Amino acid sequence: MATKRTVIVTGFEPFGDHTVNASWVAVQELERLGLGQSVDLYVCEVPVEYQAVQSLLPSLWKQHQPQLVVHVGVSGIATTVTLEKCGHNHGYKRVDNCSFCPDSQCCMDGGPDCIDSVIDMDLVCKRVNSSRLGVAVSVSKDAGRYLCDYTYYTSLYLGKGRSAFVHVPPLEKPYSAQDLGRALQAVVGEMLELVGQSEDDDHDHHHCSHQHAH
């Protein structure tokens, strides 16, 4: 029997004009829907604070050993569910909910400028859009140089690319919490399938080299 896979999905707490953060509402809706019997889903609300992210994320990765971590954030300018392809290390000038901003304006000293997800976001987008879900999905290469981007980069760094970031529009602009929950269920399901395929490929490679060793 296949072992259960572990997925962590996070949303953010309220900040600025977002007195209700659509990302956390959508993640709670996803938790209600679930990802099926073969997936252990853990959800978590992330503070909009740089230092809290730096301490929380390593413990999440270490404690749960997830196959995939998906962060969800709200974007006031988004009108679609937007899949972010990469996280950025530099350019963090906006202060957080504690009025703090990193002195270096960067996420990881000495880290690469940009880290791409191992997940093919274009393929996830194409698959979900062709499923007639009723929620439009798009892709982006700029997660916004705030806590969303900062969190994404940190997870990509910690998880060697096995992370994803999804931006959702504010509630009812145009989608309801239920719509966003269904969209996350579809998106994360497709992402898991792709991560599973890449893991199978890895196992095949190890198996081949093991054969040659005899």
Side-chain angles (χ1 to χ4, degrees):
M1 189 178 131
T3 52
K4 275 200 164 192
R5 289 187 291 173
T6 300
V7 181
I8 298 171
V9 183
T10 74
F12 284 97
E13 69 179 2
F15 70 99
D17 297 334
H18 299 282
T19 49
V20 172
N21 195 319
S23 68
W24 180 233
V25 174
V27 169
Q28 288 175 295
E29 186 64 23
L30 170 66
E31 183 183 30
R32 197 179 65 76
L33 295 169
L35 290 169
Q37 294 294 314
S38 62
V39 178
D40 275 332
L41 171 63
Y42 294 92
V43 303
C44 172
E45 185 180 30
V46 176
V48 179
E49 300 169 24
Y50 294 106
Q51 288 167 308
V53 167
Q54 281 289 12
S55 59
L56 174 66
L57 263 55
S59 64
L60 281 180
W61 278 95
K62 193 173 178 185
Q63 184 185 347
H64 298 293
Q65 302 283 309
Q67 274 69 53
L68 176 67
V69 174
V70 181
H71 301 292
V72 186
V74 66
S75 167
I77 58 171
T79 54
T80 59
V81 170
T82 308
L83 314 180
E84 300 291 347
K85 292 184 169 190
C86 53
H88 301 89
N89 197 13
H90 301 282
Y92 296 97
K93 300 173 185 176
R94 277 178 70 190
V95 298
D96 63 15
N97 276 0
C98 292
S99 302
F100 174 84
C101 175
D103 290 336
S104 61
Q105 297 181 0
C106 105
C107 191
M108 295 269 174
D109 288 327
D113 285 347
C114 180
I115 304 177
D116 293 314
S117 174
V118 298
I119 296 162
D120 183 341
M121 297 300 175
D122 292 303
L123 184 55
V124 173
C125 179
K126 188 176 161 189
R127 285 181 175 178
V128 175
N129 279 333
S130 64
S131 70
R132 298 167 192 255
L133 190 70
V135 177
V137 179
S138 63
V139 294
S140 157
K141 289 183 179 175
D142 183 2
R145 299 306 201 288
Y146 191 43
L147 263 298
C148 292
D149 213 340
Y150 190 86
T151 300
Y152 192 19
Y153 183 92
T154 304
S155 251
L156 288 167
Y157 187 90
L158 293 169
K160 298 178 175 60
R162 284 181 298 110
S163 185
F165 197 98
V166 182
H167 263 123
V168 297
L171 292 174
E172 309 301 339
K173 292 185 177 180
Y175 302 115
S176 68
Q178 289 75 20
D179 290 333
L180 294 177
R182 284 189 302 111
L184 287 182
Q185 186 184 43
V187 162
V188 176
E190 293 292 351
M191 288 175 175
L192 258 180
E193 198 156 302
L194 294 182
V195 167
Q197 285 169 5
S198 67
E199 281 179 354
D200 290 344
D201 291 345
D202 287 347
H203 290 158
D204 290 343
H205 295 322
H206 294 321
H207 187 62
C208 291
S209 59
H210 186 65
Q211 293 280 315
H212 294 313
H214 286 302

